Amino acid sequence: MFLRSIAKKTAAAGQLRGYSTSSSNGGSFFYRYGTPLVKCTVLASATTMAYQLLWQHLEYEEYRDEAEKHIGQLENRIKTLEEGGKKVASA
């Protein structure tokens, strides 16, 4: 008698497992795969944007350095031309 009651309780508990997955093919595609796809898309977009911002920052820094170098060369050329003009005027 005691064994029958335990067997009935185990069989009933086996049917009431809430954590088990169902074998039916229920749910839409988005319901099953939507969250992982959205997470992956958001992560990929955020990573791409971060790399784009980093690249843009480094590109602008390189442009600024080249522009400052070119400005320095032009300033030196102006100084040499001014000095050459003063020497001609004083002679």
Side-chain angles (χ1 to χ4, degrees):
M1 185 86 170
F2 179 70
L3 293 176
R4 286 184 191 167
S5 64
I6 292 177
K8 286 181 184 179
K9 288 181 183 178
T10 338
Q15 295 173 356
L16 298 176
R17 293 183 299 156
Y19 58 86
S20 66
T21 58
S22 64
S23 62
S24 67
N25 216 1
S28 66
F29 177 81
F30 186 75
Y31 179 74
R32 292 180 72 185
Y33 302 110
T35 304
L37 288 174
V38 169
K39 284 182 181 180
C40 183
T41 304
V42 168
L43 184 62
S45 298
T47 304
T48 302
M49 290 177 71
Y51 280 130
Q52 179 66 31
L53 287 173
L54 177 65
W55 181 269
Q56 195 172 18
H57 173 73
L58 294 174
E59 190 76 23
Y60 179 72
E61 187 177 324
E62 183 179 340
Y63 168 76
R64 189 175 54 213
D65 291 342
E66 289 176 3
E68 288 176 0
K69 181 181 174 185
H70 187 67
I71 289 171
Q73 290 174 350
L74 291 175
E75 287 174 347
N76 289 336
R77 185 172 178 199
I78 290 172
K79 286 179 187 178
T80 57
L81 290 174
E82 286 176 348
E83 290 173 1
K86 289 179 183 178
K87 288 179 184 178
V88 171
S90 64

